[in-house]
Amino acid sequence: MKKKPLVVITHWVHPQVLSYLERHCRVLPNESRESLPREELFSRLTHADAVMMFMPDWVDQELLDHAPKLKVIGAALKGFDNFDVKSITARGIWLTNVPDLLTVPTAELAIGLMLALSRNVLAGDRRVRSGNFQGWRPSLYGTGIQGRTVGIIGLGKLGQAVAQRLIGWEARVLGYDPVPLPDDKARELRLEQLELDELLGLADHVLLLSPLTESSHHLLNAKRLATMKSGSFLINAGRGSCVDEAAVAKALENGRLNGYSADVFEFEDWILPGRPATLSGELLSKLDQTLFTPHLGSAVEEVRLAIAMEAAENIVDALQQQQPRCAVNSPGTI
């Protein structure tokens, strides 16, 4: 009897995903909630036909050298900038992702971060827990959304989802993308499309929702941050390295930025050479001007189950000699 193909899963997944895969494959899961040490992952990939990977994973030549039998990488994520697509394709390996399921929960979180940052929610929570809270005082006055200008950088599915959710908030919504939206779509979303520098100079709140590409790396650097409206707020829910975090710390220090919130960080862009090892202490120390979440964009129970299940279905497609439904590349027949 022919042995079933082996699938390695690099991070914890719901039992339903394991049950689905076990109908088609032998499964080597990670039962902990932590990332596998790199050497342990290499060892597990030695005989793997497929692997399901997540945000903390990256694929480079070194990993591929340790996975000689690999046929498909099912990435349980949307942005695949940590994956060397050219090298993966050259070795005849499918790479798949999950392009749609992360959009809505990430849009919701981005708006939540914008509100929490500008309304001093974290500082207020600390005040209440301090033991000295005696009721209302005229303090911690923040900035609302009504009547303000919100700028969205990146008008892909995520940026459009945020814009759609801001309809009815009585804010002026601006948008920028290297590939502008059709005029009718912009009208539907009630946003004005501007060039990036113009948007930065007008917006009270800037939501950075761009994928990481060569052109978007450090898109908001010291020079661009200096053009932002004084006292504005910056929220990054796209990719960490779309901003220069050191420059953000300086912009907070000199008052150009009133606050910075992020769900994504430069150190997470694993495949980039020279990335910082951690989030800078300068940013972490600015308790009253920053708000950070640990990459929670898609961290909704039913959404994470659906994401992993779609990644599993992509893997089974490829192992059954079919084109995966969410293929990133075209390696040819496997």
Side-chain angles (χ1 to χ4, degrees):
M1 183 176 176
K2 187 177 179 181
K3 187 183 290 187
K4 288 182 178 180
L6 175 65
V7 177
V8 169
I9 303 178
T10 65
H11 289 77
W12 183 91
V13 296
H14 291 79
Q16 299 95 310
V17 179
L18 296 177
S19 296
Y20 169 76
L21 283 171
E22 285 167 352
R23 296 202 298 269
H24 306 277
C25 317
R26 292 174 293 138
V27 180
L28 183 55
N30 177 0
E31 296 179 348
S32 79
R33 298 277 181 155
E34 298 298 324
S35 298
L36 294 170
R38 190 84 163 155
E39 291 303 321
E40 172 65 19
L41 177 57
F42 289 167
S43 176
R44 294 187 181 206
L45 289 175
T46 302
H47 301 292
D49 299 282
V51 59
M52 185 185 297
M53 303 188 103
F54 298 80
M55 182 61 210
D57 298 311
W58 73 99
V59 176
D60 53 13
Q61 292 279 4
E62 183 184 24
L63 182 140
L64 294 171
D65 288 343
H66 285 85
K69 296 181 62 181
L70 203 60
K71 299 178 179 66
V72 55
I73 299 168
L77 44 77
K78 180 178 181 178
F80 48 88
D81 40 86
N82 281 322
F83 294 75
D84 183 347
V85 179
K86 184 176 180 180
S87 295
I88 292 167
T89 306
R91 299 198 187 206
I93 300 168
W94 286 105
L95 173 64
T96 71
N97 73 337
V98 179
D100 296 323
L101 294 174
L102 295 85
T103 300
V104 169
T106 305
E108 291 175 346
L109 182 68
I111 293 171
L113 291 176
M114 176 174 63
L115 285 170
L117 181 68
S118 62
R119 291 297 306 274
N120 297 308
V121 168
L122 195 57
D125 180 81
R126 287 197 299 270
R127 175 78 58 84
V128 172
R129 295 175 190 275
S130 68
N132 299 316
F133 177 60
Q134 297 178 337
W136 181 89
R137 296 291 186 273
S139 62
L140 293 179
Y141 292 174
T143 300
I145 307 301
Q146 183 184 33
R148 302 285 177 171
T149 300
V150 179
I152 299 173
I153 300 174
L155 295 175
K157 290 180 180 179
L158 176 55
Q160 291 177 50
V162 168
Q164 194 275 329
R165 279 155 182 78
L166 288 175
I167 294 173
W169 288 61
E170 298 180 34
R172 179 187 182 191
V173 180
L174 312 177
Y176 164 77
D177 196 282
V179 182
L181 293 177
D183 289 343
D184 58 345
K185 186 64 177 179
R187 284 193 296 270
E188 177 189 327
L189 294 173
R190 302 182 193 178
L191 65 81
E192 306 167 48
Q193 298 190 89
L194 301 177
E195 291 302 316
L196 179 56
D197 290 341
E198 188 177 2
L199 179 152
L200 292 174
L202 293 172
D204 300 293
H205 309 266
V206 174
L207 292 149
L208 181 54
L209 307 174
S210 174
L212 181 58
T213 64
E214 282 189 29
S215 60
S216 68
H217 180 253
H218 283 186
L219 180 66
L220 295 189
N221 52 23
K223 183 178 179 180
R224 280 229 167 86
L225 290 169
T227 70
M228 291 183 67
K229 184 175 180 179
S230 182
S232 55
F233 298 88
L234 175 60
I235 296 89
N236 187 2
R239 274 294 183 268
S241 295
C242 291
V243 305
D244 179 342
E245 289 174 348
V248 168
K250 291 179 181 176
L252 291 168
E253 190 72 36
N254 65 30
R256 176 60 61 177
L257 282 180
N258 201 19
Y260 177 63
S261 184
D263 188 47
V264 290
F265 308 96
E266 284 195 80
F267 76 84
E268 293 183 294
D269 299 322
W270 316 100
I271 209 164
L272 287 184
R275 65 178 177 84
T278 61
L279 181 60
S280 82
E282 283 187 87
L283 280 177
L284 288 172
S285 68
K286 299 185 185 308
L287 296 180
D288 293 329
Q289 293 179 285
T290 57
L291 172 63
F292 301 123
T293 48
H295 215 124
L296 296 180
S298 63
V300 175
E301 187 75 31
E302 61 270 23
V303 173
R304 286 309 313 180
L305 170 58
I307 288 168
M309 188 65 78
E310 187 162 303
E313 291 167 351
N314 282 321
I315 286 171
V316 171
D317 285 348
L319 292 177
Q320 292 182 346
Q321 305 293 314
Q322 301 172 18
Q323 178 166 325
R325 60 202 77 185
C326 299
V328 169
N329 63 347
S330 300
T333 303
I334 60 170

